[in-house]
Amino acid sequence: RPGHSHKMCSSDKQFCQYPKAAFTRLLVLQKGFYDGFPVTKVMMKPVTGRRHQLRIHCSSLGHTIVGDFTYSNGKDVLPYRMFLHSHRLILPTAIETIDVCGGDPFL
């Protein structure tokens, strides 16, 4: 769509053509406040690997990721970046499986 060329869509939108299935597992870890607004810290695991999958699923639930300017329709301008982080990456290769686990940046 004009003005939305970099956004993906979900099947509940009328304008979405040929949507593909995507599945995400979500676990609530903590609830709190960010700059006076209620926020929830969650761990998400994309079961499928669609582009912007985690961002779209959060937006579809009505709770965009803090700082996600694109999927909040330009409303979330408060933080200087999007608060989406990889906690763990597992990369299987022909030689070995690389397993990297990072710390929690929100402690």
Side-chain angles (χ1 to χ4, degrees):
R1 295 185 313 149
H4 297 279
S5 61
H6 60 284
K7 281 179 74 172
M8 301 293 109
C9 64
S10 55
S11 60
D12 62 331
K13 305 291 189 268
Q14 250 182 333
F15 54 82
C16 191
Q17 297 177 351
Y18 314 113
K20 295 180 180 178
F23 301 98
T24 299
R25 292 180 183 212
L26 184 138
L27 175 67
V28 173
L29 300 176
Q30 187 177 5
K31 294 182 180 186
F33 291 89
Y34 176 77
D35 202 38
F37 293 96
V39 293
T40 304
K41 180 177 170 180
V42 297
M43 182 181 293
M44 297 182 291
K45 180 180 180 181
V47 177
T48 52
R50 304 282 181 218
R51 184 177 179 197
H52 295 190
Q53 175 176 328
L54 301 177
R55 297 169 69 188
I56 294 167
H57 284 170
C58 287
S59 178
S60 293
L61 291 171
H63 301 282
T64 55
I65 296 169
V66 173
D68 192 347
F69 182 79
T70 301
Y71 288 97
S72 70
N73 294 319
K75 295 176 188 169
D76 201 346
V77 295
L78 181 65
Y80 59 96
R81 61 178 173 80
M82 183 171 28
F83 284 17
L84 175 63
H85 300 275
S86 291
H87 171 69
R88 184 177 185 194
L89 292 175
I90 301 172
L91 305 168
T93 69
I95 300 170
E96 66 179 332
T97 297
I98 300 169
D99 188 342
V100 180
C101 189
D104 185 347
F106 302 117
L107 292 178

